[in-house]
Amino acid sequence: MINMVNSSSNVQVKEAVFITPSDPTPSHVLKLSAIDSQLFLRFTIEYLLIYRLGRASDKRAIVARVKDALARALVPYYPLAGRVRARVDGSCLEVVCRGQGAVFVESSGEYSVADFEKAPRYVSEWRNLLAFEVTEVVKGAPLLVMQLTWLSDGSAALSVGFSHCICDGIGSVEFLKYFSQLAVACQYDATAELKPKPKPKPVWDRYLLDPTPCTLQTSHHPEFTRVTDFSNFSTRFNPDQLTPTATTFHEWRVNELKTLVASTSQLSISSFTTFDVVSAHIWRSWARALNFPPQQTLKLLFSINIRNRVKPSLPNGYYGNAIVLGCALTTARQLTENGLSYATELIIEAKNQVDDNFVREVVDSVSLSSTRASQVPDSVGVLILSQWSKLGLENVDFGLGRPVHRGGTRGGSRGSADPRT
């Protein structure tokens, strides 16, 4: 299903249409992988990109260019114009490819570029910048929604929603880069045919992450392990009462954290990443702020790209879900009383555990045909962190220049417009 978010005075929808592939595409059914089909991936990856423009911009020409580029991009990426359903045998999900189309929305809003320089005042403040919310994707909802909103100062916001069951962050941004290249190539009709057209190589091949018959469980998978709730975690926090926030980690601050870790452990600065140390700092700060009982088990979950961790590596252009969850685990007492280096080491250890065998075990565990298909990440004591800064959103230029603010989120609420860690 696809629902239209309640209209507000901040954003007014001018047009909502289906955009179908510009050329004929194959009409068939494609199977999604076991990882794609996971129960907890049935939501939307959402991006928000802000472009600074002048009031004299030709809005009609820009809209036409975006529609044309989207239609062209849906030719090689034609599964994004399809619809997802469950297979009859219940083994996984599949995509019915009949060129049904993606949704394009044009709207106008009362926001200005300056409004996106800080976090929204409440979780749903920017909700209408993606007016159509994809829900229950297995019941025929479009897999891709794109909305172009004209801001009050003449600038523009591009919001995009992808069904997570068909692509991950890397795959979705590969599509956006290709879409933007097409838009730039067609910016001037007179020279469009003279410019070389980008040649994408999107790879489907979802069978590469199907379960194998004889996978032996040799690794520990705490991401799926239930823990005792000593803190009433599941009822303590009402999402509607949470307030979004934004924190900037300047380079000097990140370097301070790295130096602290290196000076209090046997780790060298070159052996850990910015993500490792900033995530460790956030995890410890979160635990201290919420004052968990000392014995409460806490987990930090984060996505790990497995494209080069499986054997053989996944082919370039694979845009399906090629992620598993890394899980760092400890007690509230150990996390808050031990230093930053302790949490950093837990994160590095969780990442290092992910090899080909680990991935194959996860694939087998989450397969819908498995006796363990109910395995989903536990929510008690869990903090989930997503890193968007390495995806390349800053390069999504569809003829308006590079975005001055950009951000992403998993699910229906948006956070900071510019996560630069």
Side-chain angles (χ1 to χ4, degrees):
M1 296 177 63
I2 183 166
N3 298 327
M4 184 169 182
V5 178
N6 292 333
S7 60
S8 72
S9 57
N10 289 333
V11 176
Q12 296 296 322
V13 172
K14 298 172 64 177
E15 177 189 37
V17 296
F18 280 109
I19 303 294
T20 57
S22 60
D23 294 325
T25 56
S27 179
H28 56 189
V29 177
L30 295 173
K31 189 171 75 69
L32 288 164
S33 74
I35 292 220
D36 293 323
S37 302
Q38 292 177 88
L39 296 173
F40 79 96
L41 287 184
R42 297 182 188 181
F43 59 88
T44 308
I45 302 174
E46 299 173 355
Y47 299 116
L48 176 59
L49 307 170
I50 308 298
Y51 298 87
R52 192 186 301 277
L53 301 174
R55 294 184 182 276
S57 300
D58 188 341
K59 296 180 180 179
R60 182 176 299 180
I62 292 172
V63 169
R65 188 167 74 241
V66 169
K67 288 181 176 179
D68 181 72
L70 180 56
R72 291 172 183 265
L74 287 174
V75 175
Y77 284 94
Y78 67 89
L80 286 173
R83 301 293 183 265
V84 167
R85 69 185 183 191
R87 296 196 95 185
V88 175
D89 62 6
S91 61
C92 62
L93 301 179
E94 61 187 12
V95 186
V96 179
C97 301
R98 301 283 187 267
Q100 297 95 320
V103 174
F104 173 79
V105 179
E106 183 188 5
S107 58
S108 60
E110 296 180 2
Y111 300 105
S112 67
V113 168
D115 291 322
F116 300 96
E117 295 175 353
K118 53 186 179 298
R121 292 167 297 173
Y122 49 90
V123 171
S124 60
E125 182 180 8
W126 298 341
R127 176 69 262 171
N128 280 3
L129 290 170
L130 196 58
F132 286 89
E133 183 177 8
V134 176
T135 60
E136 300 184 60
V137 68
V138 296
K139 293 187 178 181
L143 303 177
L144 171 61
V145 179
M146 183 175 290
Q147 180 169 337
L148 182 63
T149 302
W150 302 108
L151 306 181
S152 61
D153 59 359
S155 298
L158 182 71
S159 301
V160 189
F162 292 88
S163 174
H164 205 330
C165 67
I166 201 168
C167 58
D168 61 8
I170 291 175
S172 61
V173 173
E174 285 180 353
F175 171 85
L176 287 178
K177 289 178 181 178
Y178 176 59
F179 153 78
S180 65
Q181 290 169 1
L182 287 174
V184 171
C186 296
Q187 188 166 4
Y188 303 103
D189 291 340
T191 58
E193 296 300 323
L194 301 178
K195 294 184 178 181
K197 296 180 180 180
K199 297 180 180 179
K201 295 182 179 179
V203 175
W204 187 259
D205 291 356
R206 304 302 169 97
Y207 69 88
L208 295 172
L209 291 177
D210 275 348
T212 52
C214 300
T215 302
L216 298 177
Q217 291 283 335
T218 60
S219 303
H220 181 49
H221 293 273
E223 67 271 28
F224 299 122
T225 304
R226 301 284 176 180
V227 302
T228 304
D229 188 356
F230 294 106
S231 57
N232 296 319
F233 190 88
S234 57
T235 58
R236 183 177 175 187
F237 307 107
N238 182 347
D240 295 332
Q241 296 177 347
L242 298 179
T243 302
T245 187
T247 300
T248 300
F249 286 90
H250 295 285
E251 185 177 1
W252 65 266
R253 180 55 175 150
V254 174
N255 289 335
E256 275 190 349
L257 295 174
K258 289 183 175 180
T259 300
L260 176 60
V261 170
S263 65
T264 56
S265 70
Q266 296 183 348
L267 297 172
S268 63
I269 289 183
S270 62
S271 67
F272 53 87
T273 66
T274 295
F275 175 81
D276 297 335
V277 69
V278 171
S279 298
H281 176 67
I282 293 172
W283 191 23
R284 296 183 71 242
S285 300
W286 171 79
R288 289 197 298 265
L290 296 182
N291 194 28
F292 290 106
Q295 71 274 31
Q296 179 65 59
T297 298
L298 301 180
K299 300 178 187 179
L300 177 70
L301 298 183
F302 51 94
S303 297
I304 296 178
N305 177 17
I306 61 172
R307 285 167 171 78
N308 293 315
R309 291 178 182 257
V310 294
K311 297 179 181 178
S313 298
L314 296 178
N316 290 335
Y318 185 92
Y319 64 100
N321 284 285
I323 53 173
V324 296
L325 289 175
C327 178
L329 177 147
T330 187
T331 65
R333 170 176 287 155
Q334 291 173 316
L335 183 60
T336 56
E337 293 184 358
N338 290 323
L340 182 65
S341 59
Y342 170 77
T344 304
E345 289 172 342
L346 290 177
I347 293 169
I348 294 172
E349 181 183 351
K351 291 167 65 175
N352 290 340
Q353 288 180 350
V354 179
D355 57 13
D356 182 69
N357 189 67
F358 183 99
V359 173
R360 300 301 170 186
E361 291 175 358
V362 171
V363 168
D364 183 63
S365 294
V366 302
S367 171
L368 297 183
S369 60
S370 168
T371 57
R372 292 168 293 185
S374 61
Q375 291 211 61
V376 295
D378 188 16
S379 61
V380 174
V382 169
L383 174 65
I384 302 176
L385 289 181
S386 298
Q387 182 181 26
W388 302 99
S389 59
K390 302 297 183 182
L391 292 180
L393 288 171
E394 68 278 5
N395 297 318
V396 179
D397 172 9
F398 59 99
L400 305 183
R402 291 190 173 189
V404 294
H405 300 294
R406 71 267 180 193
T409 186
R410 301 173 187 270
S413 59
R414 291 177 179 78
S416 171
D418 195 15
R420 307 178 196 177
T421 55

